[in-house]
């Protein structure tokens, strides 16, 4: 009882401090953005006037879900610049979101999130209704927690509205790739390099496996996507810590996990856009450095592994493939930890100049078309400014000058993930409406314990 009270008290204090910080930062940010807001309004009015008389001309339409996320806004901008009519769809528990306020978003919907059986049916109906009513040519789904519902909606759309290209995989493929054990087994069947993994469905199985290999270190990941169980994954050697680890994970048949031999840091991530197994865009990044900072690096070994997997896969793949890699201490090679069949935030390193959407359109219209694999060339680092400022201030208070220099370097070298000169409103809405709104709603609602603001997802609740 005392522990729960203290956790909620800490959450309350953290919420007040965060809200105070965001309130203080809103003043200089508003002052800085004001002239660009005026310029943005003028630009939008000019665009509206120029488009008069052409409203009835057919334009391809894209519908992108999970509007609260930064990568949704990024892809809305890329699609809009290639002449698409853009529609964003978000959850109704947000007051509003950055993507919905962008000048690159033509229409915004807020629908119930499928977080319980009561709302799942409504969510699926709304997804189908929006895609059909908007006559969408392309659809992207980004929120991993909604995958089971998205798969059901996609099956309906495949039958009722086949003209829409869904940048996601068929139901069976999605289920296989998203299931860590099934994915690992598939890799061995295909003859693609993969680590040994074990499915554990009870505490007994877990203990027997780690006791059988006392000299090895392991990681434990949930079979189904749960953010809380993806944070603390290293299996401790200390008995007391191990007991707490097991109690926290609650391993069971209803909550199965994958036990893998721990590979060596650092961890890398790759995200690849494919159409019928033709690679369009591909980026590798440092995964273990910081989940709210993304970059682009050259990793030929990963490039070759991804190409080998796609070539050997026995079904046509259309969608986004994201893989996590770590190095083996035995042979020194990089091994895949898991596949997340959805777009990774490191795709925010792609800019308009790389023409990802133009090449995607060509691939969708011509089954024989191929192009050189696109990699980021203009942006090598992406960060979220208010998060970096918070880290710098915290480091100054701790007299950690090394971190101060490091984070200042990130800001000077990199690219702010949300802010654009002609589209500054999403930056203001994300930081001073969307995130504070969720914090306040949580304080007076469920009071879920959270430990940091997730600027990437636009949500303070890491759960």
């Amino acid at each position: 009882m005392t522990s729960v009270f203290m956790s909620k008290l800490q959450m309350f204090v953290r919420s007040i401090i965060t809200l105070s910080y965001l309130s203080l930062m809103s003043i200089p940010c508003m002052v800085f953005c004001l002239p660009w807001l005026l310029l943005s309004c003028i630009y939008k009015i000019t665009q509206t006037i120029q488009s008069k008389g052409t409203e009835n001309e057919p334009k391809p339409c894209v519908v992108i879900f999970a509007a609260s996320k930064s990568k949704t806004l990024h892809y809305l901008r890329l699609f809009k610049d290639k002449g698409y009519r853009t529609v964003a769809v978000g959850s109704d528990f947000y007051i509003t979101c950055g993507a919905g306020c962008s000048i690159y978003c033509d229409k915004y919907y807020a629908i119930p999130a499928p977080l319980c059986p009561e709302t799942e049916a409504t969510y699926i109906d709304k997804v189908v209704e929006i895609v059909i009513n908007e006559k969408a040519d392309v659809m992207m789904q980004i929120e991993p927690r909604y995958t089971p519902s998205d798969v059901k909606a996609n099956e309906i759309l495949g039958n009722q509205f086949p003209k829409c290209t869904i940048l996601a995989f068929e139901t069976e493929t999605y289920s296989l790739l998203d299931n860590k054990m099934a994915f690992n087994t598939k890799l061995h069947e295909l003859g693609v390099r993969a680590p040994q993994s074990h499915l554990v469905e009870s505490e007994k199985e877990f203990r027997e496996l780690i006791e059988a290999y006392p000299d090895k270190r392991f990681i434990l990941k949930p079979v189904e996507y749960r953010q809380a169980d993806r944070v603390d994954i290293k299996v401790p050697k200390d008995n007391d810590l191990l007991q707490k680890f097991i109690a926290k994970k609650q391993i069971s048949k209803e909550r199965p996990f994958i036990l893998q031999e721990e590979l060596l840091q650092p961890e890398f991530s790759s995200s690849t856009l494919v159409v019928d197994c033709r690679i369009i865009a591909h980026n590798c990044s440092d995964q273990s450095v910081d989940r709210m900072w993304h970059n682009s690096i050259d990793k030929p070994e990963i490039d070759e592994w991804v190409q080998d997997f796609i070539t050997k896969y026995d079904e046509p793949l259309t969608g986004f493939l994201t893989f996590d890699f770590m190095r083996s201490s035995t042979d020194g090679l990089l091994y895949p930890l898991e596949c997340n069949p959805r777009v990774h935030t490191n795709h925010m390193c792609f800019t308009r100049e790389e023409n990802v959407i133009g090449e995607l359109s060509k691939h969708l219209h011509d089954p024989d078309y191929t192009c050189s694999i696109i990699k980021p060339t203009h942006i090598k680092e992406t960060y979220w400014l208010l998060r970096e400022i918070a880290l710098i201030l915290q480091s100054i208070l701790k007299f950690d000058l090394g971190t101060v220099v490091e984070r200042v370097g990130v800001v000077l070298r990199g690219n702010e993930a949300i802010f654009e000169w002609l589209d500054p409103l999403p930056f203001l809405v994300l930081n001073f409406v969307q995130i504070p709104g969720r914090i306040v709603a949580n304080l007076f609602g469920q009071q879920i314990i959270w430990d940091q603001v997730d600027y990437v997802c636009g949500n303070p609740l890491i759960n």
Side-chain angles (χ1 to χ4, degrees), residues 91-102:
S91 297
D92 60 3
F93 52 71
Y94 287 97
I95 297 173
T96 185
C97 67
C101 298
S102 170

Side-chain angles (χ1 to χ4, degrees), residues 14-26 93-98 386 426-444 450 453-455 457-461:
R14 188 178 294 114
S15 299
I16 297 302
I17 292 173
T18 303
L19 289 170
S20 300
Y21 165 69
L22 294 176
S23 297
L24 289 172
M25 290 304 301
S26 67
F93 52 71
Y94 287 97
I95 297 173
T96 185
C97 67
L386 265 72
F427 173 81
L428 296 174
V429 171
L430 169 72
N431 292 299
F432 308 119
V433 180
Q434 180 178 329
I435 291 173
R438 290 298 297 140
I439 295 175
V440 172
N442 185 61
L443 278 174
F444 293 96
W450 58 276
V453 173
D454 187 347
Y455 291 92
C457 298
N459 194 335
L461 311 179

Side-chain angles (χ1 to χ4, degrees), residues 302-316:
I302 291 178
D303 300 347
E304 292 170 6
W305 187 95
V306 172
Q307 182 69 72
D308 187 41
F309 170 78
I310 293 172
T311 301
K312 291 180 178 177
Y313 202 83
D314 45 16
E315 294 287 341

Side-chain angles (χ1 to χ4, degrees), residues 278-409:
R278 293 169 289 161
I279 299 177
I280 300 174
H282 171 78
N283 186 32
C284 293
S285 62
D286 291 305
Q287 178 75 353
S288 58
V289 178
D290 187 346
R291 69 180 296 273
M292 280 186 268
W293 166 88
H294 295 279
N295 64 350
S296 178
I297 58 174
D298 290 322
K299 278 290 173 185
E301 186 181 346
I302 291 178
D303 300 347
E304 292 170 6
W305 187 95
V306 172
Q307 182 69 72
D308 187 41
F309 170 78
I310 293 172
T311 301
K312 291 180 178 177
Y313 202 83
D314 45 16
E315 294 287 341
L317 295 170
T318 294
F320 291 91
L321 291 164
T322 294
F323 302 102
D324 295 334
F325 296 87
M326 289 177 69
R327 200 170 295 280
S328 169
S329 59
T330 306
D331 57 19
L333 297 175
L334 286 167
Y335 282 80
L337 300 176
E338 63 182 0
C339 174
N340 295 302
R342 58 193 66 90
V343 64
H344 192 279
T345 310
N346 72 22
H347 263 229
M348 293 186 70
C349 289
F350 288 107
T351 63
R352 295 163 171 83
E353 286 76 8
E354 277 99 25
N355 194 32
V356 172
I357 304 306
E359 292 297 336
L360 170 63
S361 298
K362 292 176 182 177
H363 279 75
L364 293 177
H365 289 101
D366 185 353
D368 298 319
Y369 180 82
T370 58
C371 69
S372 299
I373 297 173
I374 302 171
K375 293 186 177 182
T377 55
H378 292 78
I379 294 177
K380 292 299 182 181
E381 293 180 76
T382 299
Y383 64 87
W384 284 256
L385 180 61
L386 265 72
R387 193 265 185 159
E388 295 300 327
I389 293 174
L391 283 178
I392 291 169
L393 293 175
Q394 290 170 10
S395 301
I396 290 173
L397 292 175
K398 296 176 183 176
F399 299 100
D400 183 0
L401 296 182
T403 301
V404 172
V405 172
E406 176 190 343
R407 304 322 296 187
V408 169

Side-chain angles (χ1 to χ4, degrees), residues 104-244:
Y104 294 93
C105 179
D106 293 313
K107 189 178 289 188
Y108 172 70
Y109 290 93
I111 64 176
L115 301 180
C116 64
E118 289 75 17
T119 59
E120 184 184 42
T122 304
Y123 173 83
I124 293 172
D125 289 342
K126 288 291 184 182
V127 169
V128 173
E129 178 185 325
I130 290 169
V131 171
I132 293 176
N133 288 348
E134 295 296 338
K135 299 180 174 60
D137 296 277
V138 179
M139 181 176 72
M140 287 179 62
Q141 295 156 322
I142 290 175
E143 175 56 70
R145 292 181 299 171
Y146 300 173
T147 296
S149 304
D150 286 336
V151 167
K152 295 175 184 177
N154 293 350
E155 287 182 343
I156 297 171
L157 285 168
N159 294 323
Q160 295 186 11
F161 199 64
K163 77 174 282 284
C164 178
T165 298
I166 302 172
L167 292 180
F169 306 105
E170 299 291 337
T171 303
E172 291 183 8
T173 303
Y174 218 127
S175 300
L176 186 149
L177 296 175
D178 211 30
N179 183 302
K180 294 171 182 58
M181 194 66 217
F183 168 65
N184 187 269
T185 302
K186 185 68 174 180
L187 293 182
H188 288 286
E189 290 176 1
L190 296 173
V192 180
R193 185 170 73 248
Q196 293 295 327
S197 301
H198 306 276
L199 177 68
V200 289
E201 297 181 329
S202 68
E203 179 181 335
K204 181 182 178 183
E205 289 179 354
F206 172 73
R207 287 188 177 276
E208 286 176 349
L209 283 167
I210 61 173
E211 289 171 3
Y213 304 97
D215 297 329
K216 290 188 176 182
R217 291 187 174 274
F218 294 94
I219 60 172
L220 190 71
K221 288 190 173 183
V223 171
E224 296 179 356
Y225 183 92
R226 291 190 299 275
Q227 181 62 43
D229 289 323
R230 289 169 59 87
V231 177
D232 181 19
I233 63 172
K234 292 185 179 181
V235 178
K237 286 288 187 181
D238 180 81
N239 285 332
D240 291 338
L241 293 176
L242 179 62
Q243 190 58 45
K244 292 179 181 177

